Amino acid sequence: MKVLVVGSTGIIGRAVVGALSGSHQVIGASRSGQPRADLEEPASLEALFEAVKDLDAVVCCAAGGPLVALESVTVEEITAGMRGKLLGQVALAQRAMRHLRHGGSVTLTGGTFAAPLPGGSLGALINTGLEGFVRNAAGEIGRELRINLISPGWIKETLRSMGADDSEGTPVADVAQAYVSAVEGTMQGQTLRP
């Protein structure tokens, strides 16, 4: 398969590219690389699909969001937080669905945590929205296209890089295998939690 990985230079993106490269033709895209993709710039997504053709799968590992205090976050900060991870991934999925080969797949990235997280209310809003979007979009898309969401939670390597206890994190290699399962499998409208 020919697979586009958006966010290919991050911790998860690099692992996903590595996990898929043995069996598939993988093209990595990022904000600073070529081809370029920025979830906050719709024009870059249009240019991306003009540059990269005949795709079987699109995987988005580019999504991130800030932790913000609920009592002090502004509407502008909420809107900015939603722009990339929620609205950007929705825009990417819409464009991907128009350009994928018959039977192709889109895999997005969420991240809802099992327990409340200080500063995590905006993230919970965005990630729950992504889950609902994927579940419903699965019933709307045609041409036997599939869409799924990976909700990795904390990544062991990310926690370690932050100087935090990494015992509750999932190794990035295990997370990457969830993306491989979404690309190669038959699931539809699912949220995978490695």
Side-chain angles (χ1 to χ4, degrees), residues 88-138:
Q89 286 195 94
V90 168
L92 178 68
Q94 285 179 302
R95 285 162 178 81
M97 289 175 201
R98 290 195 298 263
H99 292 276
L100 283 169
R101 290 180 180 159
H102 183 88
S105 72
V106 175
T107 306
L108 303 179
T109 297
T112 304
F113 295 92
L117 175 68
S121 294
L122 175 58
L125 170 68
I126 291 167
N127 293 318
T128 303
L130 282 166
E131 287 187 27
F133 169 74
V134 164
R135 189 171 44 252
N136 200 80

Side-chain angles (χ1 to χ4, degrees), residues 23-159:
S23 304
H24 306 285
Q25 177 188 355
V26 179
I27 299 158
S30 65
R31 280 187 295 217
S32 58
Q34 288 298 323
R36 185 172 178 276
D38 187 334
L39 295 180
E40 295 189 28
E41 293 179 19
S44 78
L45 301 179
E46 292 292 341
L48 175 66
F49 287 105
E50 287 301 316
V52 183
K53 305 270 190 198
D54 302 320
L55 291 167
D56 297 292
V58 173
V59 175
C60 184
C61 304
L67 295 176
V68 294
L70 182 60
E71 62 237 11
S72 62
V73 66
T74 66
V75 171
E76 291 78 15
E77 291 169 321
I78 291 171
T79 303
M82 294 176 69
R83 189 170 296 119
K85 188 165 185 181
L86 177 61
L87 301 177
Q89 286 195 94
V90 168
L92 178 68
Q94 285 179 302
R95 285 162 178 81
M97 289 175 201
R98 290 195 298 263
H99 292 276
L100 283 169
R101 290 180 180 159
H102 183 88
S105 72
V106 175
T107 306
L108 303 179
T109 297
T112 304
F113 295 92
L117 175 68
S121 294
L122 175 58
L125 170 68
I126 291 167
N127 293 318
T128 303
L130 282 166
E131 287 187 27
F133 169 74
V134 164
R135 189 171 44 252
N136 200 80
E140 288 187 46
I141 56 179
R143 298 188 304 118
E144 296 184 25
L145 297 175
R146 297 181 303 107
I147 185 168
N148 293 289
L149 180 74
I150 308 297
S151 182
W154 284 113
I155 306 297
K156 187 174 282 290
E157 291 80 356
T158 301
L159 290 170

